[in-house]
Amino acid sequence: THGGMKDVPSLFSWDAEKEQDFCPAKALIDEPKEAKTKQDEEFSLWMCQVQCFFTTKFFPAYQHEKALRERIKENRIRDAELAELRKIKDEELAKLIAGREAEEAKRQEA
């Protein structure tokens, strides 16, 4: 990426490997086996996988997209300002060239 996305702060700056080990549903899984049914275990596992997806993939990707959109907006504003400055410099240069050509024409007439 241009400019280094490392500078952009993220609300979700977890280590993905550590995050996959974290799962509040594990508390449900670690309960005594007789208190749970197979369906409860599958639901807990599914909940853990969903949470891991959102915290390790979806939220960081969303934050990254927001940062990129903001940077694109800033770049467009900067590019418009630079284009305006170039236009002003080109106009000044054209006036200077026209003035010199006029002086040269006067010298040749004299």
Side-chain angles (χ1 to χ4, degrees):
T1 60
H2 180 58
M5 282 304 297
K6 294 176 186 172
D7 299 337
V8 178
S10 174
L11 295 176
F12 303 97
S13 57
W14 299 294
D15 184 5
E17 292 177 17
K18 290 179 183 176
E19 183 61 35
Q20 288 177 348
D21 292 336
F22 169 75
C23 182
K26 280 189 178 183
L28 296 174
I29 294 172
D30 294 337
E31 290 178 1
K33 294 291 183 188
E34 61 273 356
K36 295 174 57 171
T37 65
K38 175 111 173 122
Q39 192 175 24
D40 290 336
E41 289 178 17
E42 289 175 1
F43 179 74
S44 295
L45 179 61
W46 178 80
M47 287 293 292
C48 182
Q49 290 172 340
V50 168
Q51 181 185 9
C52 289
F53 165 77
F54 277 102
T55 56
T56 62
K57 305 285 187 213
F58 184 77
F59 293 137
Y62 175 73
Q63 292 297 320
H64 181 72
E65 180 190 11
K66 279 178 54 177
L68 288 178
R69 286 180 188 260
E70 186 64 30
R71 184 168 282 166
I72 288 169
K73 188 189 309 183
E74 291 169 1
N75 286 345
R76 285 183 180 160
I77 292 169
R78 189 189 72 233
D79 290 345
E81 291 171 352
L82 289 174
E84 187 66 29
L85 286 174
R86 273 189 235 113
K87 181 180 175 183
I88 292 170
K89 284 184 178 183
D90 289 346
E91 290 172 356
E92 290 174 358
L93 184 60
K95 287 179 185 177
L96 182 63
I97 291 172
R100 287 188 180 171
E101 287 175 352
E103 286 177 18
E104 187 66 31
K106 285 181 185 179
R107 283 187 201 153
Q108 288 181 359
E109 287 178 8

